Amino acid sequence: MNTTVTNILKLLAQSKMSAEDIMYYVDVEKSAIQKSVNQLNELLETLNLNTIKKEKDHYILKLQKKDLEYLYSNMKFLTTDEKIDYLYLKFIYKGFLNLEKEKEILDISRSTVLRCFKDVKETLDKNGSNYDYIYSKGLKLNNIGEKEKAYFCKKLIKYFIENNYMSSPLRDLIEEIRGAKVEDRVTKVSTILQRLNIITTYPFIAFLISLESCIKVFNGFEKYYEKEGEKDEEFKHIINIVQEIGKDFDINYSEQITRCLKNYVFKQSLEPNLKDKTNLIIEKLKLFFNIDHFENELEEVLFFKIYIALFKYENKILRINQVDFNSNKMKVLKVLNSILKELDTEIYYYDKYLIINILRDVVVTKKILEVKKVLIIFNELALVERNFFKNSLKRVLPHITFDFQTNLECKDKIETYKKRYNYILSNDFYDENVIKIDFFDKLLINDVLEKRVFQDVLNNLK
């Protein structure tokens, strides 16, 4: 199996995919996809697992979690990037590496293991780390640079997230590094974040869990051991929650995670270039939509989603799903693509979809407040029913004045009403400027208005 085949397996293990979908994530010609699928099916058949089927235009692989675990436990193949990461993580974690033994463990040639280690060496040199060669024994790590610590942590985050899609020996190494308590740590860290009202994202959870391994390897990060601010109320609040939920945490881990949360590390992140790029993307989106500022909470959600998308792409974390864009979202996709191209960056197709969904909510939340008056035209609606319906709408959209008219009352007056109201809804068809609805329901009207507001915002943009 080659790298392309392995990545296609990773995609199909998560979602059905068309050939076009797969091409968004894997750098391969469309003609080569079926060949890769055939190779995968040969492996799946030998393990008596469900094979990949093609239904209409989509490839589908139906495997349970236990089947995936069994599959990857029987796979020995690693992609080129995974081989490099394995050598890197093992060298930093163990402090020693024998390339002759490693080529046997990885089942690769001497030239391949040397090529992979060349990438590791370049990373070490760039990050200020150094090592010595001990004759007939191997390589001994002497010093871990500060940049190296952040890079090592970032690699752990990637594989803590991707733990369902790893083959031996990388899977065994990651399990050794992260320890046996990872599921317990996920639960407790998630609870801590919820108690602190901090947005819970899986890269952030993975980062907080990885701190425990970083403490074991190089005593953690010095910037999170700073004593300043220990006496303020915010710090005391955080430490109390961490100590309450993490009763079994090592004292150094407890202190490190507390100071990390005090600094709110995702905003003062290990990846300042991604933070800056995220903020730049948001500013360009604001400019495009002619909005000075987004609502604070929604902007924070958008920030995290873009940040994580950049992090996933940079670290080749294929956590995705199959998605379809409607015409309005395709318009925004073109804008987002142009911004990414301008910044010489890229993100996965699935993450673009998630960002556009959040962006739609951000824009609609802002623009729906500009809607002041809406007219509802109906055929048959009893007075008591109309009053109930009007009160229900007031609870959903309290800033909008809803007026009601029968079709008979509106005869020959539609053009006048168009000037008086932001929107007109009716269960009868008039023209494209009157929104046709099938029935009267407060949630349906809310949804219809949001869709029309978003469409109008896009239509009014240059």
Side-chain angles (χ1 to χ4, degrees), residues 363-388:
V363 173
V364 168
T365 299
K366 183 78 174 175
K367 292 296 184 179
I368 198 77
L369 294 175
E370 298 175 8
V371 178
K372 301 302 180 184
K373 296 188 69 177
V374 172
L375 175 63
I376 296 178
I377 304 173
F378 57 91
N379 280 325
E380 295 180 3
L381 203 63
L383 180 61
V384 64
E385 185 182 358
R386 183 175 68 182
N387 289 339
F388 173 78

Side-chain angles (χ1 to χ4, degrees), residues 342-360:
E342 181 183 343
L343 298 177
D344 192 27
T345 192
E346 184 58 283
I347 56 178
Y348 291 126
Y349 192 64
Y350 174 61
D351 291 301
K352 291 176 182 178
Y353 182 84
L354 298 180
I355 289 167
I356 289 168
N357 277 342
I358 294 171
L359 191 58
R360 176 194 178 278

